[in-house]
Amino acid sequence: MPLLKLDSVQLQFGTQTLLDHVDFSITKGEKLGLLGRNGTGKTTLLKVLAGELSPDSGERWLRPGVRMARLLQTLPEAEDISVYDVVAGGLPEAGALLSQYHHLLAQGDDIDMEQLAQVQHKLEAVDGWTLQQRVETTLSQLQLPADAKMSELSGGWRRRVALAQALVSEPDILLLDEPTNHLDIPAIQWLETQLQQFRGALILITHDRRFLQNVVNAIAELDRGHLTVWRGDYRGFLRHREQELEAEDRANALFDKKLAQEEAWIRQGIKARRTRNEGRVRALKAMREEHSNRRKQVGRANFALEDASRSGKIVAELQAVSKRFDDKQLLSNFSTIIQRGDRIGIVGANGAGKSTLVKILLGQLAPDSGEVKHGTKLEIAYSDQLRGHLDPEQNLIDNVCGGQEFIDINGKRKHAISYLGDFLFTPERVRTPVKALSGGEQNRAVLAKLFSKPANLLVLDEPTNDLDIETLELLEEILLDFDGTVILVSHDRDFMDSVVTSLLVIEGNGVVSEHVGGFSDWEARGGQLVDHSQLKQQNAAPSKDQAPASTAKPAKAAVAKRKLSYKEQRELEQLPALIEKLETQQQELEERISEPSFYQQEAEAIEEVLVQLAAVQADLEQAFERWEALEDQD
């Protein structure tokens, strides 16, 4: 039996039909991902499901006794209230009483016993002790500091608090709107686990394709007012949708052919008009009306990067660079060389120093020590995650095109409205102030401004935020065709797998490691990012008597030496040559993988080379261990 149903629901905003006679139902255990282009009405549909917005027509039915909770796309305010108060607020029947009781207990010896007794009496009347246990269990499961102030928390931690507020009521239906926003990769993986264990019904909006694949067991797509549901995982839905769109195109082509034949027939001469069938005329009128009411597929964004002249072979070189903020070591003695054509992804937990590293690479921030050298003929296009390149008070033509009617793109003059139309902006929207645009529209505006200038070094800091999946896929294609150098900061694991050929992993406490391949390749080799709490502990300033983590090593246990056998002596003599051979093989394979064309091959060819590299690395590590063991005995 369904928990929630919509029956022929219709909703319009002005002339735009967001929901067109939508039928929908969800049952316990169903985890559904809601997809659709930016602006199609996904959040509006969530509001209708939650009962916050009444449709123009149709019915919403909720099974009696069913509890529902909703996580908003926007973060909770960074106010001067405690985490406990926010989480307890998810229990409207007892939340205020529980907060009052919690704060009274915190007063210690100064507690007002009379007031405490009154609160206890009220809590007993609403089964408050059971609810108190539920709040404390939720705080423990989500590892939240109960007495911390919201104003002290980062965006990722406030997102956790909002999720705790939604979960504490133990809802039968959980509605999540962009839950991965403001979360780093460890927190996204943590959230995946939480939702996989959730036993109720789940409806979520997200553009994170890996997250969708790992969490949902059904997909609903809102397209031109119609809602279609696919039972299965996200990858299965992609195959199904491709078949559906092909079938729609074929049906439309047959319909248009039939309509053209009937239009030709009706325009025949007087002889045909004497004998024409009146039923056929009525059918033609109906076909005309059906054609005029047909909802055409939403256009695809159409934009490209403007290439600049080639940069020098060396784009940037960092030598022994260190950077510290207060008691937090972000970079420690880090060296690397970025060459023309590299596609580098920078990953790490929130606050680990990803944006700091980018600014040092670009010369916007000076390191505490070390040297940064930049290559020649660099033309840089940089997009930051805060959308700082847009004036919120100005419209899109002023922001992107400098107020000009025409803009030069790849040496050709293009009308500003036409150029912005390539980014799916209607003529009405191009004159809207940026502050009135949605998050996805603002991100498309950033890309429009970024791609209007020639560049050979493209630096993107969280470019995928709020973009719909189709625009994400197009952006991937553009970056793959780009001949210059790409430096990418992103928490979208699939996006990085599609674009980058190497990673800089900021592991915390100043340590940065370099790895060949995409994010999944690094994960397959055992790579794992440090969680928030672990990272905070690592970044704590060491005491005077404690050696820094990067230099402290466990002492080796004393081992009694013995004389090597003849066979072991021969093995020790041959190991340096073997190690040199394996290092050469490793270097050759890494050079092949770092070529921009490597990930454009068939999947089998890519996998074969990666397996070879993993095997060589394992053999090399084993050879080093054996050499060290024999050396200790010699």
Side-chain angles (χ1 to χ4, degrees):
M1 184 177 178
L3 302 176
L4 173 66
K5 285 180 62 177
L6 297 182
D7 184 14
S8 194
V9 164
Q10 188 158 2
L11 183 65
Q12 281 186 297
F13 284 167
T15 60
Q16 184 180 10
T17 300
L18 295 180
L19 305 175
D20 188 2
H21 296 94
V22 166
D23 296 315
F24 173 77
S25 66
I26 191 165
T27 58
K28 183 178 180 179
E30 200 167 2
K31 298 176 180 179
L32 183 138
L34 179 57
L35 305 184
R37 282 286 181 84
N38 291 333
T40 56
K42 300 187 297 296
T43 298
T44 299
L45 176 56
L46 279 193
K47 290 179 179 179
V48 172
L49 291 170
E52 299 173 9
L53 184 64
S54 298
D56 298 332
S57 62
E59 293 184 358
R60 169 188 177 270
W61 175 84
L62 182 69
R63 187 198 295 183
V66 166
R67 294 187 302 272
M68 183 180 295
R70 179 169 171 236
L71 177 71
L72 301 179
Q73 183 175 353
T74 55
L75 284 174
E77 293 295 329
E79 299 174 330
D80 193 32
I81 60 175
S82 72
V83 169
Y84 190 98
D85 291 345
V86 175
V87 175
L91 299 168
E93 68 277 15
L97 288 173
L98 287 173
S99 292
Q100 189 178 2
Y101 180 74
H102 179 78
H103 292 303
L104 283 171
L105 290 180
Q107 293 176 5
D109 296 337
D110 298 328
I111 190 170
D112 186 334
M113 299 304 296
E114 183 178 350
Q115 186 179 8
L116 181 65
Q118 292 176 355
V119 173
Q120 288 175 332
H121 179 71
K122 292 178 182 178
L123 283 172
E124 288 172 357
V126 293
D127 194 20
W129 307 123
T130 302
L131 297 177
Q132 181 197 29
Q133 182 63 34
R134 193 186 298 176
V135 171
E136 292 176 352
T137 300
T138 304
L139 289 168
S140 176
Q141 288 176 339
L142 275 65
Q143 302 173 3
L144 293 172
D147 295 316
K149 300 295 185 183
M150 292 293 289
S151 56
E152 301 170 357
L153 301 182
S154 67
W157 279 106
R158 279 188 282 146
R159 174 65 66 182
R160 281 199 186 200
V161 174
L163 182 63
Q165 185 187 56
L167 291 174
V168 74
S169 65
E170 296 184 351
D172 301 295
I173 303 175
L174 181 59
L175 308 178
L176 304 179
D177 195 348
E178 295 291 356
T180 62
N181 279 1
H182 308 284
L183 297 183
D184 56 18
I185 291 174
I188 291 172
Q189 293 170 331
W190 165 87
L191 180 58
E192 286 176 356
T193 303
Q194 298 294 317
L195 296 181
Q196 287 164 357
Q197 297 171 353
F198 180 64
R199 296 181 180 180
L202 172 69
I203 303 174
L204 67 90
I205 298 172
T206 183
H207 299 140
D208 188 321
R209 293 159 291 181
R210 179 84 62 93
F211 186 78
L212 269 176
Q213 179 64 26
N214 291 342
V215 172
V216 307
N217 54 28
I219 298 288
E221 184 178 34
L222 187 59
D223 180 23
R224 294 161 282 172
H226 296 292
L227 187 73
T228 55
V229 178
W230 160 262
R231 308 294 175 183
D233 63 10
Y234 174 65
R235 289 173 187 155
F237 163 75
L238 291 180
R239 294 189 292 270
H240 167 74
R241 183 178 63 173
E242 187 175 355
Q243 295 169 358
E244 288 289 308
L245 291 177
E246 289 175 356
E248 181 181 345
D249 289 339
R250 288 195 298 270
N252 286 340
L254 289 173
F255 181 91
D256 293 344
K257 182 179 179 180
K258 175 67 174 176
L259 178 60
Q261 291 172 346
E262 295 300 289
E263 292 287 2
W265 170 79
I266 200 69
R267 289 195 298 271
Q268 287 180 7
I270 186 67
K271 182 178 179 181
R273 282 199 294 274
R274 286 198 197 105
T275 59
R276 72 187 178 194
N277 186 311
E278 289 303 320
R280 191 172 176 181
V281 174
R282 289 193 295 272
L284 174 58
K285 290 180 179 178
M287 289 179 71
R288 286 171 174 170
E289 184 176 358
E290 181 178 348
H291 184 270
S292 65
N293 291 333
R294 179 193 299 169
R295 285 184 175 82
K296 296 182 180 180
Q297 295 178 23
V298 179
R300 193 179 186 213
N302 177 29
F303 51 88
L305 280 165
E306 184 174 356
D307 292 334
S309 59
R310 297 180 72 187
S311 66
K313 184 175 181 180
I314 301 298
V315 173
E317 181 176 358
L318 274 62
Q319 296 179 352
V321 166
S322 295
K323 186 66 180 179
R324 187 181 188 90
F325 283 119
D326 298 326
D327 61 345
K328 191 171 187 179
Q329 188 73 42
L330 298 180
L331 300 174
S332 179
N333 202 33
F334 174 57
S335 300
T336 190
I337 296 177
I338 298 175
Q339 301 187 60
R340 182 180 62 232
D342 283 350
R343 300 173 181 276
I344 299 173
I346 301 177
V347 297
N350 281 343
K354 300 184 296 294
S355 296
T356 298
L357 177 56
V358 166
K359 291 178 180 178
I360 288 175
L361 283 168
L362 295 177
Q364 297 181 358
L365 186 65
D368 297 336
S369 61
E371 187 176 7
V372 180
K373 297 180 181 178
H374 292 103
T376 58
K377 301 180 181 178
L378 288 182
E379 295 192 46
I380 303 171
Y382 173 45
S383 165
D384 70 344
Q385 60 180 325
L386 299 178
R387 304 188 178 102
H389 294 165
L390 298 177
D391 185 337
E393 301 299 329
Q394 292 187 337
N395 61 33
L396 286 177
I397 290 183
D398 293 331
N399 265 295
V400 177
C401 307
Q404 301 297 314
E405 187 177 356
F406 289 89
I407 185 171
D408 290 330
I409 302 294
N410 283 323
K412 298 180 180 178
R413 284 172 61 78
K414 192 167 188 176
H415 199 280
I417 292 180
S418 175
Y419 176 68
L420 291 168
D422 292 339
F423 293 81
L424 301 181
F425 289 111
T426 63
E428 296 78 19
R429 297 299 277 174
V430 301
R431 302 194 184 280
T432 301
V434 165
K435 63 183 180 182
L437 300 178
S438 69
E441 288 175 319
Q442 288 186 24
N443 224 10
R444 290 207 309 270
V446 170
L447 294 177
K449 185 171 184 177
L450 190 71
F451 294 172
S452 67
K453 297 177 175 58
N456 51 36
L457 172 58
L458 189 61
V459 183
L460 302 175
D461 196 347
E462 295 295 349
T464 63
N465 283 349
D466 303 313
L467 290 182
D468 56 54
I469 290 176
E470 289 82 357
T471 308
L472 276 180
E473 292 171 346
L474 179 59
L475 181 58
E476 288 173 357
E477 294 174 14
I478 290 169
L479 294 178
L480 288 173
D481 292 336
F482 181 53
D483 291 330
T485 306
V486 177
I487 299 175
L488 171 68
V489 178
S490 179
H491 296 144
D492 189 322
R493 294 157 288 176
D494 276 9
F495 187 77
M496 280 194 295
D497 279 345
S498 300
V499 173
V500 308
T501 56
S502 64
L503 292 180
L504 292 178
V505 181
I506 303 180
E507 301 177 2
N509 206 27
V511 177
V512 181
S513 57
E514 299 184 66
H515 303 271
V516 174
F519 186 85
S520 294
D521 302 320
W522 173 68
E523 268 191 323
R525 295 194 292 267
Q528 186 176 5
L529 289 175
V530 180
D531 197 5
H532 289 79
S533 56
Q534 295 171 327
L535 185 67
K536 188 173 182 179
Q537 293 170 2
Q538 285 186 358
N539 284 327
S543 64
K544 293 180 180 179
D545 299 328
Q546 179 185 1
S550 58
T551 60
K553 295 182 180 179
K556 288 186 178 179
V559 178
K561 290 193 175 184
R562 63 174 177 84
K563 189 174 181 180
L564 297 178
S565 67
Y566 174 77
K567 183 178 179 181
E568 289 173 330
Q569 187 66 44
R570 290 285 297 163
E571 183 183 4
L572 178 60
E573 293 172 357
Q574 294 171 359
L575 275 171
L578 175 62
I579 290 172
E580 184 177 354
K581 179 182 176 182
L582 290 171
E583 286 178 333
T584 302
Q585 292 177 3
Q586 181 186 34
Q587 183 178 358
E588 290 173 353
L589 289 170
E590 288 179 345
E591 287 176 353
R592 285 178 61 185
I593 294 172
S594 64
E595 293 175 358
S597 61
F598 176 76
Y599 285 92
Q600 298 176 11
Q601 303 178 88
E602 295 293 330
E604 293 79 5
I606 296 172
E607 182 65 22
E608 181 181 353
V609 176
L610 294 176
V611 169
Q612 289 178 18
L613 178 60
V616 169
Q617 288 173 332
D619 291 343
L620 184 59
E621 185 177 350
Q622 186 177 0
F624 269 118
E625 290 177 355
R626 183 59 176 163
W627 181 56
E628 185 178 357
L630 293 176
E631 276 281 309
D632 287 343
Q633 293 295 334
D634 190 19

